[in-house]
Amino acid sequence: MTIEPHALYQGELGHQRLLPKRHGFAYPLHYFWLNASSLPSLGRSWLLKYEGFAAFSYRRNDYLPGAACLKQAVCDKIRQLGGDQPVTEVYLLSPLANWGHYFSPLTLYYGFDAEQQLRYLLAEVSNTPWNERHHYLIPVSANGRYQHDKDFHVSPFNPIAMQYHWQIEPPGETLVCSISNHQQQQKVFSAWMRLQRQPLSAKVLRRMLIRSPWPNVLVKIRIYWHALKLLIKGNPVYAHSKKGSVYDDVTD
């Protein structure tokens, strides 16, 4: 499979809470798909800029701490978390800073080998409002399934004592990624992205801005709006505690 250097994925983000009180939603979503080896080629227009202020801009400091080169930082993190398969190409799937404001609850790094086979998914998870980050390494198997214990506090409506179940498909014209939370072998929550590839062009970006001029701000508003709904419905709240958890990267 030949993978284009840069693209845009647009589609739907959905959440469904099953227990203790049902709650769900689905919203339009766009994520940038960027080759970590070709980031300077994004250019310097008012619409899309590499390291600067624009409608959308890539800034190295918004992403995985480590080496100055994002690709090297991702490869280092993969090895640190136990990955032993060679990774020759890294692609970033993430929002970009929007008019200088960056916010991303989930950023994904896709690691490919020399034959362009997807080997790893590195998930960079952040929590609101604590502004902490944690990284999970998901080896990509033939069936795309992987499960592991949760060890990072994200939502105050989910406890730490859970297990994540991932379903990952290699990206192409479509990109599908889903995760479900399980307690005592019972699914209590699921989230998913179902996206379609679009060209990363000025025309597409202008259309996206007309529909949603401040997407990163809108994501924050939705998070707090649905938190309020969960409180009203009577879902229990779990206190944030670092005791017994692993926090590998904490931002100020």
Side-chain angles (χ1 to χ4, degrees):
M1 176 181 63
T2 301
I3 307 172
E4 297 176 5
H6 305 310
L8 188 73
Y9 276 103
Q10 293 182 298
E12 179 184 80
L13 166 73
H15 284 195
Q16 182 63 60
R17 186 177 297 274
L18 304 173
L19 295 171
K21 303 289 180 65
R22 295 184 68 89
H23 181 76
F25 61 81
Y27 289 117
L29 177 72
H30 75 260
Y31 263 24
F32 289 83
W33 173 261
L34 306 177
N35 187 325
S37 299
S38 306
L39 291 168
S41 68
L42 287 174
R44 297 191 176 276
S45 75
W46 71 271
L47 273 173
L48 182 62
K49 186 172 290 187
Y50 172 75
E51 293 289 2
F53 182 85
F56 300 102
S57 53
Y58 167 84
R59 305 178 306 190
R60 175 67 187 90
N61 288 341
D62 291 331
Y63 301 98
L64 176 68
C69 170
L70 180 63
K71 176 183 175 181
Q72 186 61 53
V74 172
C75 290
D76 291 345
K77 178 61 74 173
I78 288 173
R79 286 192 294 270
Q80 178 188 333
L81 295 179
D84 58 2
Q85 298 293 320
V87 170
T88 59
E89 288 292 347
V90 171
Y91 283 79
L92 167 69
L93 183 73
S94 177
L96 295 182
N98 172 226
W99 302 120
H101 177 66
Y102 175 77
F103 179 70
S104 177
L106 176 65
T107 292
L108 299 176
Y109 304 93
Y110 286 75
F112 294 84
D113 65 16
E115 284 72 43
Q116 294 190 328
Q117 296 296 312
L118 180 61
R119 293 298 182 186
Y120 295 106
L121 182 68
L122 179 65
E124 184 172 73
V125 183
S126 64
N127 54 15
T128 306
W130 304 284
N131 197 30
E132 298 162 323
R133 299 185 197 179
H134 185 72
H135 297 88
Y136 293 108
L137 181 64
I138 298 98
V140 179
S141 61
N143 63 12
R145 298 175 182 173
Y146 186 73
Q147 61 189 58
H148 60 87
D149 291 337
K150 175 184 176 182
D151 53 24
F152 178 63
H153 185 84
V154 181
S155 168
F157 299 97
N158 286 328
I160 287 289
M162 306 183 87
Q163 192 173 63
Y164 287 148
H165 291 223
W166 293 81
Q167 181 66 52
I168 302 159
E169 297 180 12
E173 289 305 309
T174 61
L175 188 151
V176 178
C177 181
S178 65
I179 184 171
S180 58
N181 295 14
H182 292 243
Q183 275 184 295
Q184 299 176 348
Q185 300 183 347
Q186 183 177 23
K187 184 164 75 171
V188 298
F189 175 85
S190 62
W192 63 90
M193 294 187 295
R194 299 190 184 102
L195 310 175
Q196 296 287 327
R197 182 192 294 269
Q198 302 289 329
L200 187 53
S201 67
K203 179 180 178 180
V204 171
L205 291 176
R206 283 195 295 266
R207 186 186 308 129
M208 195 165 65
L209 278 174
I210 291 170
R211 293 175 180 171
S212 180
W214 298 284
N216 291 350
V217 173
L218 185 59
V219 170
K220 280 189 174 180
I221 292 171
R222 286 169 172 166
I223 287 174
Y224 287 109
W225 173 242
H226 285 284
L228 177 60
K229 287 186 172 182
L230 289 170
L231 283 172
I232 292 171
K233 288 182 177 182
N235 280 272
V237 175
Y238 299 89
H240 183 308
S241 173
K242 294 184 180 181
K243 184 177 180 180
S245 299
V246 177
Y247 288 75
D248 58 0
D249 293 302
V250 180
T251 59
D252 295 331

